[in-house]
Amino acid sequence: MSNLDKVLDRIDQNLDQSLDRLFELLRIKSISTDPEYKGDCREAAEWMARELTAIGIPSEVRDTTGHPMVVGHRVADGKPGPHVLFYGHYDVQPVDPIELWNADPFDPQIVTRKDGSKMIVARGANDDKGQLMTFVEAVRAWVEETGDVPINISVLLEGEEESGSPSLQPFLDANKEELSKDLALVCDTSMWDKDTPAISVMLRGLVGEEITLKGPSKDLHSGMYGGAARNPLHVLSDMVAGLRDENGSITLPGFYDDVPELPEDVKEMWQNLGFSTEEFLGGIGLKDLGGEKDRSGLEQIWARPTCEVNGLWGGYTGAGFKTVIPAEAHAKVSFRLVGDQDPEKIREAFRSYLKSKTPADFELELHPHGGDRALRMDFDAPALAKGRAALSAEWDKPAALVGCGGSIPIVGSFKRTLDMDSLLIGFGLDEDQIHSPNEKYELKSFHKGIRSWARVLEELAK
Amino acid sequence: MSNLDKVLDRIDQNLDQSLDRLFELLRIKSISTDPEYKGDCREAAEWMARELTAIGIPSEVRDTTGHPMVVGHRVADGKPGPHVLFYGHYDVQPVDPIELWNADPFDPQIVTRKDGSKMIVARGANDDKGQLMTFVEAVRAWVEETGDVPINISVLLEGEEESGSPSLQPFLDANKEELSKDLALVCDTSMWDKDTPAISVMLRGLVGEEITLKGPSKDLHSGMYGGAARNPLHVLSDMVAGLRDENGSITLPGFYDDVPELPEDVKEMWQNLGFSTEEFLGGIGLKDLGGEKDRSGLEQIWARPTCEVNGLWGGYTGAGFKTVIPAEAHAKVSFRLVGDQDPEKIREAFRSYLKSKTPADFELELHPHGGDRALRMDFDAPALAKGRAALSAEWDKPAALVGCGGSIPIVGSFKRTLDMDSLLIGFGLDEDQIHSPNEKYELKSFHKGIRSWARVLEELAK
């Protein structure tokens, strides 16, 4: 029996204990965007450092001006393969609307379906606690079974991924030498479908802006002032509505200047993935594609930029009616970027547009959010081939090379600051409701995810 | 010396006693919306019934399911002129934020300005205790001086005007015959300015709709679905933005069908009122008129219909950013109506518009709010001419015929249920801070208000 087979056996036998540990982590309410949970974020960081140290990756909690980082290293001379830096995040999204959860988001449950399949339900079950623990448990199995791991491993876990990662860049800058390894392993992405593993080779970028539009100096009675006083909610609606034309294209001048067409071979691979718009949209209660009219569904989510209003509010939002003209209106708007789109250029185009639409007697306040370019992995990189081989062996199916509609800012930071490529392997499913009520992670994803990483660690050592 | 002159003299001589009585009433904490003050509301009703009875209008407190009504009649055969029903309300608004008051809201004060002018400061000083007592004191002066009043008088005072008047309509329905008189006198409006009396002859109507737009079956991650999944906030913004064209006109088909042009003489009167758009908008921090481009400021708030978004919300509205595509978007939209616009016809036009803009795979939920026609006093009504004559005599200035941008529900109820027109005469000023801290009423308003009603009573008898 090979070392790998023994490690895989051990993973199978210890699955319950692996789950127990994951549940411990899921119970910690590490919502990074809400200051009320600051202590919980630190608790999650400390928990991670203890666990990593326990499996032979001596780790420590490192303070930042925000939530702390967890950093650890297990290095020995003369090991083959790349020295990898594994990245994950221990923070989670807020849980609102809480009333739509079937159970307490921080009381993880195993739910068994009629067909016998099981899922782990909790905030963070997938994003990213469930995912990052697949790697941790794989390392544990290697160390417990063989006394070592095949390659040198460093770990970096952050606690602000769901709130814009404000401390990450300064931390990378300050610890460049310590963190610059040969390759980053990132576990924060999805499989193609429940049977087909995937490596994400294209990531959209992101740039966001929070808008406060101030009109009258106070809320007004719409009877007394309605008609004469301009309504900030009308103006903001105009701004949002004007961002798209009738074909679903974004109207900002120059928006598409740096958006490349897809290479023919990638286009073909995507066509053969058997993507069904009907199923994709059917799963979220929709029927019709909402983006650019002449683009396929996969292109719309992976290879085309977009603009989304993530939040909009103003005026009276309680029960009943209050005939008020609000003094202010607010929106959070973000753009997903592709190709060579420059976040700051897009931000400037957006700000110019908003300014041009702001009435002379109104005030416009803007607060930037995010600012990450899109990323593409080199299709010929050796690590990519090794990752595909390991995944294909575990899942008995060739791993798909896919795009990813969301940005994973860390990948850009690793590239920019540490000149390090990232191998993006994850075991989530699109249906996992990350960021939504009843977030879940397939038990199969967790189990075979651990096994997959065990194989990747060996494959990279070859 | 005429009877009227003697009555006016008496009013001048007894002003201190009139004030004492008003202060007694102002000390009663009759906040109708707060159950804690239920007993105070009854106390105010009883105080009013006693006072009215004492001046020769035998009155009683009538129970409702909410706060009681006060009803009284002073009727004699063979009197000239119309039998009037005077309406006012003895309840007041809450006093929050209490810390912004310079003194106890229920300990009325006379505050003297540097220029010697005086004001009465207390919750209800204007709205509506100060205003209604101008009428009561006028009747008292007539009765005490001449032993009678020139015309037949009934009185209806309610105690729920500041909390939606839930008991009013059932009470009118149940006492239709008793309360249907020739003309209602309502004292709950403002003067044009501190020197110019006014009669409100146009009240805008109101129709509202609460909109829930349902798109995806759950909140989505904008990275995963952005582009492909239509965003309810985009669609709702489109709906709202499309309601107005570049000239500020409402785009609903047929919206202006029943909107009459202002008679030339009224237009001219308004032009001569010296309305300053700059001052009006300057008071609320704005500079430019927001409504229909070819309409004056007074037309925009009094004589033109409008559409206002009173509330709009969806997606993530907390601190920080959440890159979500929300499952739902919500809005509360209302229209102020004028002329003969039919609330239900406008509602239908709005609903059709919303339906036409709803994507096939979205769901639209609508909840109606309000539905009151605009009201206009007949410009040729004899009572209007008499009211103007009385006011012009007292204030040495022609009384302005003005519009009122907001609805006054009682006027609609009187018209609808009792088929009775209302003469709206009030002595408040826009600066009186009704509903706000440090509510006040000019002593001049109180004094000359009493004198004005004394004149109106005689004029109506002619």
Side-chain angles (χ1 to χ4, degrees):
Chain A
M1 208 181 195
S2 72
N3 270 349
L4 177 62
D5 286 335
K6 287 187 218 157
V7 168
L8 294 175
D9 268 2
R10 172 174 282 267
I11 288 170
D12 296 345
Q13 282 153 27
N14 289 351
L15 183 61
D16 283 349
Q17 293 90 313
S18 296
L19 271 174
D20 286 345
R21 286 184 286 262
L22 172 60
F23 276 29
E24 271 186 38
L25 177 59
L26 289 173
R27 287 190 191 102
I28 305 173
K29 303 175 182 177
S30 47
I31 302 171
S32 59
T33 201
D34 187 337
E36 198 182 319
Y37 297 94
K38 192 170 158 49
D40 304 79
C41 288
R42 175 162 292 271
E43 188 187 338
E46 285 168 354
W47 189 93
M48 287 305 324
R50 271 199 314 275
E51 282 298 306
L52 289 169
T53 303
I55 61 169
I57 306 177
S59 297
E60 48 184 36
V61 173
R62 302 265 193 96
D63 284 340
T64 71
T65 52
H67 302 302
M69 302 283 172
V70 178
V71 180
H73 305 283
R74 180 187 177 93
V75 187
D77 285 345
K79 281 207 182 160
H83 181 159
V84 298
L85 176 73
F86 177 81
Y87 164 88
H89 63 92
Y90 64 77
D91 64 319
V92 297
Q93 281 274 320
V95 296
D96 290 327
I98 184 75
E99 66 276 11
L100 295 185
W101 287 80
N102 296 330
D104 180 347
F106 294 107
D107 180 14
Q109 311 281 334
I110 297 279
V111 175
T112 306
R113 298 193 187 83
K114 279 181 189 161
D115 68 2
S117 67
K118 291 171 196 288
M119 55 184 178
I120 304 158
V121 181
R123 172 55 86 227
N126 167 322
D127 183 17
D128 186 40
K129 291 173 173 175
Q131 299 247 52
L132 79 84
M133 288 300 284
T134 57
F135 182 83
V136 173
E137 293 297 325
V139 171
R140 182 192 309 274
W142 267 106
V143 171
E144 289 183 356
E145 188 62 39
T146 73
D148 204 355
V149 274
I151 56 174
N152 283 327
I153 294 177
S154 294
V155 172
L156 169 66
L157 305 180
E158 71 159 318
E160 298 177 329
E161 202 271 350
E162 303 293 4
S163 51
S165 297
S167 309
L168 187 74
Q169 193 59 48
F171 192 80
L172 295 184
D173 287 336
N175 300 280
K176 217 179 259 192
E177 207 175 335
E178 181 185 1
L179 299 172
S180 294
K181 303 303 173 196
D182 302 315
L183 176 71
L185 301 180
V186 176
C187 190
D188 202 12
T189 51
S190 292
M191 312 226 300
W192 167 246
D193 61 29
K194 71 183 176 46
D195 302 313
T196 316
I199 300 177
S200 300
V201 292
M202 293 174 77
L203 300 177
R204 289 200 287 194
L206 179 76
V207 61
E209 200 77 11
E210 179 156 349
I211 303 164
T212 300
L213 188 63
K214 297 185 172 181
S217 51
K218 59 181 177 186
D219 285 0
L220 306 175
H221 187 284
S222 82
M224 206 172 280
Y225 291 97
R230 215 179 290 276
N231 184 327
L233 279 171
H234 273 295
V235 177
L236 189 60
S237 296
D238 271 343
M239 289 172 167
V240 170
L243 282 168
R244 288 178 181 231
D245 66 18
E246 66 277 13
N247 293 314
S249 299
I250 312 303
T251 57
L252 296 182
F255 187 74
Y256 292 98
D257 282 358
D258 302 308
V259 176
E261 282 300 318
L262 213 52
E264 280 309 313
D265 57 337
V266 178
K267 215 172 218 172
E268 200 186 313
M269 188 196 295
W270 288 6
Q271 272 160 3
N272 295 333
L273 276 176
F275 174 80
S276 156
T277 297
E278 205 178 331
E279 271 179 38
F280 178 71
L281 290 180
I284 51 169
L286 295 177
K287 281 183 185 156
D288 304 318
L289 282 172
E292 295 169 276
K293 278 190 180 154
D294 53 346
R295 301 290 173 174
S296 74
L298 277 189
E299 276 186 286
Q300 288 192 11
I301 56 173
W302 287 351
R304 300 298 298 176
T306 185
C307 162
E308 296 299 342
V309 191
N310 305 120
L312 200 158
W313 70 103
Y316 182 67
T317 60
F321 232 87
K322 198 170 160 185
T323 50
V324 73
I325 297 175
E328 297 185 3
H330 307 260
K332 295 174 200 265
V333 175
S334 62
F335 298 85
R336 298 283 169 180
L337 308 180
V338 303
D340 299 313
Q341 283 183 302
D342 177 348
E344 291 316 313
K345 202 176 129 193
I346 300 298
R347 188 193 304 287
E348 272 322 302
F350 184 46
R351 290 185 159 194
S352 294
Y353 167 81
L354 294 175
K355 281 170 197 162
S356 75
K357 290 264 209 171
T358 302
D361 53 358
F362 274 41
E363 226 181 292
L364 178 71
E365 279 181 15
L366 298 168
H367 295 278
H369 169 78
D372 288 297
R373 285 175 171 275
L375 290 164
R376 245 187 320 188
M377 179 126 192
D378 176 5
F379 284 99
D380 300 322
L384 182 56
K386 291 175 180 180
R388 286 190 88 179
L391 289 174
S392 303
E394 172 62 28
W395 295 83
D396 290 327
K397 240 188 154 176
L401 300 185
V402 302
C404 176
S407 59
I408 304 187
I410 188 69
V411 180
S413 301
F414 285 165
K415 185 72 189 171
R416 233 176 12 248
T417 311
L418 310 181
D419 192 24
M420 180 168 59
D421 283 326
S422 297
L423 189 61
L424 297 165
I425 296 177
F427 308 98
L429 295 179
D430 288 346
E431 72 197 41
D432 281 354
Q433 319 228 85
I434 66 169
H435 296 205
S436 295
N438 302 314
E439 178 178 350
K440 61 93 172 166
Y441 200 42
E442 292 298 309
L443 182 59
K444 181 177 165 187
S445 287
F446 186 62
H447 183 185
K448 287 178 82 68
I450 301 171
R451 290 173 55 99
S452 296
W453 282 120
R455 291 181 189 272
V456 170
L457 290 173
E458 192 192 55
E459 196 68 35
L460 286 174
K462 283 183 182 169
Chain B
M1 207 180 193
S2 74
N3 270 352
L4 177 62
D5 286 336
K6 286 187 218 159
V7 168
L8 295 175
D9 266 2
R10 174 175 279 268
I11 288 170
D12 295 346
Q13 282 153 25
N14 289 352
L15 183 60
D16 283 349
Q17 291 91 309
S18 295
L19 271 175
D20 286 346
R21 287 184 286 264
L22 172 60
F23 277 30
E24 269 186 41
L25 177 59
L26 289 173
R27 289 192 190 100
I28 305 173
K29 302 175 183 179
S30 47
I31 302 171
S32 58
T33 200
D34 188 339
E36 198 182 317
Y37 297 95
K38 193 169 159 46
D40 304 82
C41 288
R42 176 162 292 271
E43 188 186 337
E46 284 166 354
W47 188 93
M48 288 302 325
R50 270 201 313 276
E51 283 299 308
L52 289 169
T53 303
I55 60 170
I57 307 177
S59 297
E60 50 184 32
V61 173
R62 304 264 195 96
D63 284 340
T64 70
T65 53
H67 301 301
M69 302 282 172
V70 178
V71 180
H73 305 282
R74 180 186 177 96
V75 186
D77 284 346
K79 280 208 182 158
H83 182 158
V84 298
L85 176 73
F86 177 82
Y87 164 87
H89 63 92
Y90 63 78
D91 64 320
V92 297
Q93 280 274 320
V95 296
D96 290 327
I98 183 75
E99 67 274 12
L100 296 186
W101 286 81
N102 297 330
D104 179 348
F106 294 107
D107 179 15
Q109 312 279 333
I110 297 281
V111 175
T112 306
R113 298 192 188 84
K114 277 179 189 159
D115 68 1
S117 67
K118 292 173 196 285
M119 54 185 179
I120 305 159
V121 181
R123 172 55 86 228
N126 167 323
D127 183 17
D128 186 42
K129 290 173 174 175
Q131 299 245 55
L132 79 85
M133 287 300 284
T134 57
F135 182 82
V136 173
E137 293 298 325
V139 171
R140 181 192 309 273
W142 268 105
V143 171
E144 289 183 357
E145 188 63 39
T146 72
D148 203 356
V149 274
I151 57 176
N152 282 328
I153 294 177
S154 295
V155 171
L156 169 67
L157 305 179
E158 72 160 319
E160 298 178 327
E161 201 271 350
E162 303 293 5
S163 51
S165 298
S167 309
L168 186 73
Q169 192 60 49
F171 192 80
L172 295 185
D173 288 336
N175 299 279
K176 219 179 256 192
E177 205 176 339
E178 181 185 0
L179 299 173
S180 295
K181 304 303 174 196
D182 301 316
L183 177 71
L185 301 180
V186 176
C187 190
D188 202 11
T189 51
S190 292
M191 312 225 301
W192 168 247
D193 61 30
K194 69 182 175 50
D195 302 313
T196 315
I199 300 177
S200 300
V201 292
M202 296 174 75
L203 300 177
R204 289 199 287 192
L206 180 77
V207 62
E209 199 78 11
E210 180 156 350
I211 303 163
T212 300
L213 188 65
K214 297 185 173 181
S217 51
K218 59 183 178 181
D219 284 0
L220 307 174
H221 187 285
S222 81
M224 207 173 279
Y225 291 96
R230 217 179 289 275
N231 184 327
L233 279 172
H234 273 295
V235 177
L236 189 59
S237 296
D238 271 343
M239 289 171 167
V240 169
L243 281 169
R244 286 175 183 234
D245 64 19
E246 65 278 13
N247 294 316
S249 299
I250 312 303
T251 58
L252 295 182
F255 186 74
Y256 292 99
D257 281 359
D258 301 307
V259 177
E261 280 302 318
L262 215 51
E264 279 308 314
D265 57 339
V266 178
K267 213 171 219 174
E268 201 185 314
M269 186 196 296
W270 287 8
Q271 274 161 2
N272 295 333
L273 277 177
F275 174 80
S276 156
T277 298
E278 204 178 333
E279 270 178 41
F280 178 72
L281 291 179
I284 52 169
L286 295 177
K287 279 183 186 153
D288 304 317
L289 282 172
E292 295 168 275
K293 278 192 180 152
D294 53 346
R295 300 290 172 174
S296 73
L298 277 189
E299 277 186 284
Q300 289 191 11
I301 55 174
W302 288 349
R304 299 298 297 176
T306 185
C307 162
E308 296 298 341
V309 191
N310 305 120
L312 200 157
W313 69 103
Y316 182 67
T317 61
F321 231 86
K322 196 171 161 184
T323 51
V324 73
I325 297 175
E328 297 185 1
H330 308 260
K332 294 174 200 265
V333 175
S334 62
F335 297 85
R336 297 280 169 182
L337 308 181
V338 303
D340 299 313
Q341 283 183 300
D342 177 349
E344 292 315 313
K345 202 176 132 195
I346 300 298
R347 190 194 303 288
E348 272 322 303
F350 185 46
R351 291 184 160 195
S352 296
Y353 167 82
L354 295 175
K355 281 170 197 162
S356 75
K357 289 264 208 174
T358 303
D361 52 359
F362 273 41
E363 224 181 294
L364 179 71
E365 279 180 14
L366 298 169
H367 295 278
H369 169 76
D372 288 302
R373 286 177 169 271
L375 291 165
R376 238 186 331 182
M377 180 118 197
D378 178 3
F379 285 102
D380 300 322
L384 183 56
K386 291 175 180 177
R388 284 191 89 182
L391 289 175
S392 302
E394 171 61 27
W395 295 82
D396 288 327
K397 238 185 155 178
L401 301 187
V402 302
C404 177
S407 56
I408 302 182
I410 186 70
V411 180
S413 300
F414 283 164
K415 184 73 188 172
R416 236 180 4 254
T417 310
L418 309 181
D419 192 24
M420 179 168 59
D421 284 325
S422 298
L423 189 61
L424 297 164
I425 296 177
F427 307 99
L429 296 179
D430 287 346
E431 72 197 43
D432 280 353
Q433 317 230 79
I434 64 170
H435 296 206
S436 295
N438 303 313
E439 177 178 352
K440 60 96 172 165
Y441 199 44
E442 293 298 309
L443 181 59
K444 180 176 165 187
S445 287
F446 185 63
H447 183 186
K448 287 175 82 67
I450 302 171
R451 290 173 54 100
S452 296
W453 283 120
R455 291 180 189 273
V456 170
L457 290 174
E458 188 189 60
E459 198 68 36
L460 285 176
K462 282 182 184 170

